[in-house]
Amino acid sequence: MRISGISAAVAAGAMLVLATGCTARDTVESPSEGASGGESAGATPIDASSLVAALPAATADVDEVTWALVEGEPRSLIPGADYNFVAPNLCDSLLQVQPDFSIEPGIAASAEWADPVTFVIDLRDGVTFWDGTPVTTDDVIYSLERHRQDVTSAYFGAFVLVASIEATGDQQVTVRFTAPDSTFRDALASGAGAVLSKAYGDEAGDALGTSGGGLLCAGPFELESWTPGKEIVTVANEGYWGGAPHVKTLTYRFIADGTTLTNALVEGEIDGAFNVPPASRAVFEGSEAGRLIVGPSTASFSFGPTKATGAGANPLVRQALSMAIDRDQYIATVLNGLGQPQRTFVAPFSFASMEAADVYQAGYDALAEPTVDLEAAKALVAESGEDTSVPLVIAIPAGSKELSQTAAIIQSAGRQIGLTIEIDERQPADFAGIFLADPGPRESIDFVATTGYTETPGVLAYPQLFLLPAELGGIFNWSGYADPDVIGALQAARTTPDPTEAAGAYVAAQEIFAPDMLQVTLAGAYHTTFLSSDLTGATTSVAAYASPWAQHLGGA
């Protein structure tokens, strides 16, 4: 799971670890509603049945593709040390998350439970790193242990129930657990299961994954060069076990400014990008250079409390603010129609491909829909007993248009129900400091507004971060939430082997925690991609965060 503006190492799979009834469509692109432009046309809602998880695979080779990284230059290319769209094409995982959010084999030909506490990984024959050296059990153990032994790893939470990891054959690794763990297999399809060369990692040391240290992996593209402040160049791994990519050189440019990116895309200077600015929707839909593809996602916009004191920690205040915000208007103005209302912080696409999806969906459908009721919200503020003369402060990262708009909407909603809300816009380093263990950067604020997503299937990533005590993975449980029924049910959901029983336990927890709004979810955001008309084959769902999304990219 990842949160916008946060170091991935801090975010604990965070946003690991990002639509109701959304199902993947392999070949249908989003309708060009309002292609002629105009504010009202741009805000036209997307029909969820038209969401596109992946474009048809390429059939022709392409010499070079230039891709923009809206998030800016990565800190690192090690999966889990930073979240970016470069690493998934470089470092294959043991399992692969598919565009429809199902899981298939990756470097592992098989990865299954032998019994409730024993997980066996059998490696695929013939998989090699870019330099031709074979992927071995030592490399797998090295890669998994990096997360298990490092509490700052973004994927540490996936390994908290692991007792041991050892080779049990020439091509086999066995992971033993202290208790059953229903989340572990899916985690291996994320960066938690990415395999790096042990020999290269040992030699590179702390420089591993940086512009100066590089890395050695087994994905469809290999790192050729990284020029800080300018670009990252990758080239096709012709020996890739899944077949050589059609794109021979894939170059990433760092373009964080939305206007600059929009111009570069529609003028054909850049071939594609993910997370393109919603404000440019009409421009993209009217472009002759390419097209906007809207895909299913687990991403959402939300805000939540940052400490155990003050009005922000009071669930009645959070409920009141939620009731004062018009979700449809929020989606129209902030997301330009590229999203939909969401009832809690776990999006339905998170469980759409899971075995007990019907149980999760029924539990989600039973939750109350967000509605506007200013009088009821005012009553909740009065009932809260909080001193409304004390301003509430909400932090946002500098430079994020969507989160700046979000904060302004929250501020306006507060004003309507008798709350004064001030906005604290922080530079990237200061904003990231909010999510570190030191509570100092959080003491002067009451809320933080974020975007986040889960990158692999599963329902427990968000709840574990925000609802459990710190020792059980609740690194963002800053308000001290401690409902014993919720803790017990979430732990049962993780440690119950039977999928239907695990789903039932989660739904029971959700019924309690959803109204408490440890995160006030404002909207689910679709995954947006702009791609040149000459190209096809990209993954266009949220699965692009964890899978080799450019493996099938190329000419039509």
Side-chain angles (χ1 to χ4, degrees):
M1 180 174 77
R2 184 192 190 273
I3 297 174
S4 176
I6 305 172
S7 161
V10 176
M15 293 192 154
L16 261 205
V17 245
L18 318 192
T20 303
C22 285
T23 55
R25 296 292 190 271
D26 292 334
T27 59
V28 184
E29 295 186 21
S30 63
S32 295
E33 299 160 304
S36 61
E39 185 176 338
S40 60
T44 303
I46 292 290
D47 180 355
S49 67
S50 72
L51 297 177
V52 183
L55 296 176
T59 57
D61 288 352
V62 175
D63 288 337
E64 184 168 4
V65 167
T66 302
W67 201 267
L69 297 180
V70 181
E71 299 76 17
E73 185 169 8
R75 292 174 53 256
S76 171
L77 295 180
I78 300 174
D82 188 35
Y83 284 84
N84 56 73
F85 289 110
V86 183
N89 287 324
L90 299 177
C91 299
D92 257 10
S93 294
L94 292 165
L95 298 173
Q96 278 190 1
V97 59
Q98 303 301 298
D100 66 354
F101 238 39
S102 60
I103 300 293
E104 297 292 340
I107 289 179
S110 173
E112 302 291 347
W113 293 98
D115 61 53
V117 292
T118 307
F119 190 83
V120 178
I121 301 166
D122 291 311
L123 300 184
R124 185 185 297 273
D125 290 333
V127 178
T128 63
F129 292 113
W130 305 325
D131 65 353
T133 59
V135 173
T136 69
T137 57
D138 285 345
D139 299 307
V140 173
I141 294 170
Y142 161 78
S143 301
L144 298 181
E145 288 284 9
R146 284 175 59 87
H147 305 302
R148 187 169 84 99
Q149 301 294 339
D150 182 3
V151 70
T152 68
S153 166
Y155 301 105
F156 175 78
F159 293 82
V160 295
L161 297 180
V162 171
S164 65
I165 305 172
E166 60 183 357
T168 49
D170 291 342
Q171 292 286 94
Q172 186 179 85
V173 172
T174 297
V175 184
R176 293 184 170 83
F177 290 75
T178 58
D181 189 346
S182 65
T183 68
F184 185 75
R185 185 177 189 276
D186 289 341
L188 294 185
S190 70
V195 179
L196 286 68
S197 164
K198 180 180 185 301
Y200 189 100
D202 287 344
E203 183 175 348
D206 291 340
L208 182 67
T210 67
S211 59
L215 76 173
L216 182 59
C217 289
F221 289 86
E222 57 183 282
L223 179 64
E224 181 173 271
S225 65
W226 180 350
T227 304
K230 181 183 178 183
E231 64 185 16
I232 293 172
V233 179
T234 65
V235 295
N237 174 10
E238 299 294 340
Y240 181 56
W241 64 266
H246 287 287
V247 175
K248 299 311 170 185
T249 301
L250 179 55
T251 299
Y252 301 88
R253 299 272 171 78
F254 320 130
I255 308 179
D257 180 75
T259 300
T260 303
L261 173 64
T262 298
N263 291 336
L265 288 168
V266 299
E267 292 171 8
E269 298 172 2
I270 298 292
D271 297 305
F274 295 125
N275 295 333
V276 294
S280 299
R281 176 182 173 184
V283 176
F284 291 139
E285 289 179 334
S287 172
E288 296 181 358
R291 70 279 202 202
L292 176 70
I293 305 104
V294 184
S297 181
T298 60
S300 62
F301 283 72
S302 65
F303 67 96
T306 57
K307 56 188 177 184
T309 59
N314 191 321
L316 296 179
V317 172
R318 299 195 296 270
Q319 291 165 10
L321 283 169
S322 176
M323 296 175 72
I325 298 172
D326 185 326
R327 291 336 195 257
D328 291 333
Q329 183 181 36
Y330 180 90
I331 291 167
T333 56
V334 178
L335 299 181
N336 210 4
L338 301 177
Q340 64 180 14
Q342 190 171 304
R343 301 184 184 191
T344 187
F345 52 19
V346 177
F349 193 57
S350 301
F351 52 75
S353 65
M354 295 178 68
E355 188 171 338
D358 57 336
V359 178
Y360 291 112
Q361 188 65 56
Y364 179 87
D365 291 341
L367 298 175
E369 285 190 60
T371 56
V372 178
D373 190 335
L374 294 180
E375 293 307 313
K378 291 176 184 177
L380 286 174
V381 171
E383 184 184 346
S384 74
E386 298 292 341
D387 182 357
T388 57
S389 68
V390 178
L392 289 160
V393 180
I394 184 167
I396 59 171
S400 170
K401 179 178 180 181
E402 289 79 20
L403 287 176
S404 179
Q405 292 174 317
T406 296
I409 287 171
I410 297 168
Q411 185 180 55
S412 176
R415 188 180 305 119
Q416 293 182 76
I417 59 175
L419 297 173
T420 300
I421 296 177
E422 298 175 350
I423 300 171
D424 181 354
E425 188 170 343
R426 299 190 177 188
Q427 294 302 312
D430 293 331
F431 186 77
I434 294 171
F435 302 88
L436 297 173
D438 178 10
R442 297 188 291 274
E443 290 177 353
S444 61
I445 59 176
D446 299 278
F447 295 118
V448 59
T450 59
T451 60
Y453 59 83
T454 51
E455 63 186 66
T456 53
V459 298
L460 293 177
Y462 270 119
Q464 290 178 155
L465 289 170
F466 293 103
L467 305 173
L468 295 181
E471 63 270 18
L472 295 178
I475 62 171
F476 300 150
N477 185 2
W478 301 316
S479 67
Y481 186 82
D483 188 301
D485 293 331
V486 169
I487 295 171
L490 290 178
Q491 290 298 88
R494 180 167 186 173
T495 60
T496 299
D498 181 81
T500 301
E501 291 182 12
Y506 171 78
V507 168
Q510 178 182 251
E511 185 177 358
I512 301 170
F513 71 69
D516 292 331
M517 296 189 179
L518 272 297
Q519 287 292 288
V520 181
T521 304
L522 300 174
Y526 296 139
H527 189 73
T528 54
T529 307
F530 187 86
L531 189 66
S532 166
S533 300
D534 298 328
L535 298 173
T536 186
T539 295
T540 53
S541 75
V542 71
Y545 281 106
S547 62
W549 56 265
Q551 179 185 352
H552 302 296
L553 182 67

